[in-house]
């Protein structure tokens, strides 16, 4: 995987984490709107599935990873996937948003942190 591909993927994860956080805010602000809850569940499921696919792909290619993948992508995918894998969209309710909010924050924060490190690398 090239440096540019890793940058694109990390940028995508920053956006996904920020989008999930925005949906959580929208859900908190719209107490009567169930469509916001359904949208959050759908986006959470899609993000979780994407993380799972990348996690499994990284696991299969352990011996073929380049330094950038090992140093910048693996920590994000592995760290966030461990956090998010125990969460189920079926358990997301208006009263139980803390874990989803934490996972969304971790996703955007980890991805942004490693993206910054990678782009500042000479």
């Amino acid at each position: 995987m090239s440096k540019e591909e890793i940058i694109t993927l990390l940028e995508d994860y920053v956006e996904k984490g920020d989008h999930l956080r925005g949906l959580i805010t929208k859900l908190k602000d719209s107490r009567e709107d169930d469509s916001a809850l359904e949208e959050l569940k759908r986006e959470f499921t899609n993000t979780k599935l994407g993380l799972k696919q990348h996690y499994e792909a990284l696991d299969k290619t352990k011996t073929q990873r380049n330094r950038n993948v090992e140093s910048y992508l693996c920590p994000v995918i592995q760290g966030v996937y461990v956090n998010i894998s125990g969460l189920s969209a079926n358990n997301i309710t208006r009263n139980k948003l803390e874990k989803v909010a934490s996972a969304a924050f971790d996703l955007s924060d980890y991805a942004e942190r490693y993206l910054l490190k990678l782009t500042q690398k000479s």
Side-chain angles (χ1 to χ4, degrees):
M1 184 175 262
S2 73
K3 180 179 178 180
E4 291 76 23
E5 290 171 317
I6 294 170
I7 288 171
T8 300
L9 189 57
L10 291 174
E11 288 172 339
D12 185 50
Y13 278 126
V14 169
E15 288 176 20
K16 286 179 189 231
D18 289 345
H19 182 65
L20 287 172
R21 291 166 58 192
L23 290 174
I24 291 167
T25 300
K26 180 180 172 183
L27 182 60
K28 288 179 179 178
D29 292 343
S30 62
R31 288 287 177 197
E32 303 301 319
D33 186 9
D34 285 339
S35 66
L37 181 60
E38 292 308 312
E39 184 180 2
L40 175 62
K41 288 180 179 184
R42 186 175 49 257
E43 292 298 324
F44 174 82
T45 299
N46 291 338
T47 300
K48 182 178 173 181
L49 180 61
L51 279 166
K52 180 181 180 186
Q53 290 170 342
H54 284 116
Y55 183 83
E56 290 172 350
L58 288 173
D59 194 44
K60 289 179 184 175
T61 60
K62 278 185 183 178
T63 58
Q64 301 168 356
R65 292 182 193 161
N66 65 36
R67 185 173 179 172
N68 284 337
V69 169
E70 194 68 41
S71 299
Y72 302 100
L73 187 58
C74 286
V76 174
I77 301 294
Q78 291 169 341
V80 176
Y81 183 68
V82 167
N83 185 359
I84 207 171
S85 64
L87 300 174
S88 169
N90 294 333
N91 294 333
I92 298 174
T93 65
R94 290 179 181 277
N95 299 327
K96 296 183 179 180
L97 295 175
E98 299 83 25
K99 289 182 181 180
V100 178
S102 174
F105 176 81
D106 286 350
L107 177 60
S108 57
D109 184 56
Y110 283 25
E112 196 166 31
R113 185 177 322 146
Y114 282 93
L115 177 62
L116 184 62
K117 287 180 182 183
L118 180 59
T119 55
Q120 289 181 344
K121 181 183 129 192
S122 51

